[in-house]
């Protein structure tokens, strides 16, 4: 979950809503013909698929009284979420599964408690890479772009102005919408953000 303050209210955005927004951002991006674009778009849209079950009944952080934000979730639960997510992503195809797995290891590589899952995913990546005719530079470029779209979506869903140094989208204006719930159990509202080429 992503939390942000809106005046006196605290709003929560699910990881799955954020993931869908990441897919919308990727879909609006200027396509790069040298990359496996369709698989990249799918990976962007579903990269947080594993969070769906957790988001239905999110754990409460005892230090704050609010649901854990995604980066605060304890290692055991975080590993369960991502193990489910990378397994489910693989059902979309080898390349989609590989890109989501690489995204996870990029995020989780610094959390020592996730080392067994990171090792499992690195083995998965090696096995999948051996069956795909893609070089490391192409995979790295896909991983970087997925991370870029993810970061922009996190900023937007967290109520922050996204950093857009160079305009990456095909259109001069992009309108994005996502749902946020007033916490602890308030109304759901649709947040609309408009990005415009400088």
């Amino acid at each position: 979950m992503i939390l942000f303050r809106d005046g006196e209210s605290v709003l929560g955005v699910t990881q799955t809503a954020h993931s869908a927004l990441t897919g919308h951002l990727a879909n609006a991006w200027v396509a790069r013909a040298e990359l496996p674009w369709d698989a990249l778009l799918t990976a962007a849209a579903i990269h947080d698929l594993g969070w769906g079950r957790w988001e239905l009944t999110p754990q409460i952080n005892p230090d704050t009284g609010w649901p854990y934000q995604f980066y605060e979730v304890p290692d055991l639960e975080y590993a369960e979420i991502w193990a489910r997510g990378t397994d489910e992503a693989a059902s979309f195809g080898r390349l989609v599964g590989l890109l989501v797995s690489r995204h996870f290891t990029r995020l989780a590589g610094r959390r020592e408690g996730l080392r067994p899952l990171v090792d499992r995913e690195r083995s998965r990546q090696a096995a999948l890479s051996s069956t795909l005719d893609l070089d490391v530079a192409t995979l790295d470029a896909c991983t970087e772009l997925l991370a870029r779209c993810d970061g922009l979506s996190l900023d937007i869903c967290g109520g922050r102005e996204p950093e857009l140094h160079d305009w990456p989208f095909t259109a001069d204006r992009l309108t994005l919408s996502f749902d946020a719930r007033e916490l602890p159990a308030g109304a759901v509202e649709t947040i609309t953000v408009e990005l415009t080429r400088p």
Side-chain angles (χ1 to χ4, degrees):
M1 187 165 290
I2 301 161
L3 305 180
F4 70 98
R5 289 203 172 270
D6 182 24
E8 295 298 311
S9 301
V10 174
L11 300 179
V13 179
T14 65
Q15 288 303 113
T16 44
H18 143 72
S19 188
L21 187 70
T22 303
H24 291 303
L25 288 165
N27 196 50
W29 213 267
V30 174
R32 292 174 52 184
E34 77 277 16
L35 299 181
W37 203 249
D38 288 346
L40 180 56
L41 295 182
T42 301
I46 62 106
H47 75 274
D48 278 338
L49 186 67
W51 287 87
R53 190 180 311 162
W54 185 90
E55 292 285 4
L56 293 173
T57 54
Q59 288 175 279
I60 302 300
N61 183 337
D63 295 333
T64 65
W66 300 110
Y68 279 111
Q69 295 206 64
F70 66 96
Y71 55 84
E72 300 171 328
V73 173
D75 286 350
L76 178 63
E77 291 82 3
Y78 193 86
E80 290 172 355
I81 289 164
W82 273 103
R84 183 171 53 250
T86 54
D87 287 346
E88 291 176 1
S91 72
F92 286 80
R94 293 174 297 163
L95 184 50
V96 172
L98 176 58
L99 294 177
V100 173
S101 177
R102 286 172 62 100
H103 183 69
F104 162 72
T105 55
R106 177 190 175 106
L107 294 174
R110 295 185 194 96
R111 288 178 74 162
E112 191 54 42
L114 301 177
R115 180 63 43 207
L117 183 56
V118 169
D119 290 344
R120 181 192 92 154
E121 291 306 313
R122 295 225 189 270
S123 295
R124 181 198 303 261
Q125 292 164 22
L128 289 171
S129 294
S130 71
T131 69
L132 296 166
D133 188 24
L134 292 171
D135 56 52
V136 173
T138 298
L139 290 173
D140 286 347
C142 289
T143 301
E144 289 295 323
L145 187 52
L146 176 51
R148 177 80 172 114
C149 292
D150 182 47
L152 291 174
S153 178
L154 287 172
D155 283 342
I156 292 166
C157 291
R160 297 178 298 276
E161 188 72 27
E163 293 183 22
L164 291 167
H165 304 298
D166 297 315
W167 185 255
F169 306 114
T170 56
D172 290 338
R173 179 173 292 163
L174 188 60
T175 303
L176 303 161
S177 297
F178 57 93
D179 280 353
R181 178 180 293 280
E182 186 176 354
L183 299 177
V188 175
E189 62 181 272
T190 299
I191 307 290
T192 301
V193 174
E194 191 167 278
L195 305 179
T196 305
R197 184 192 292 270

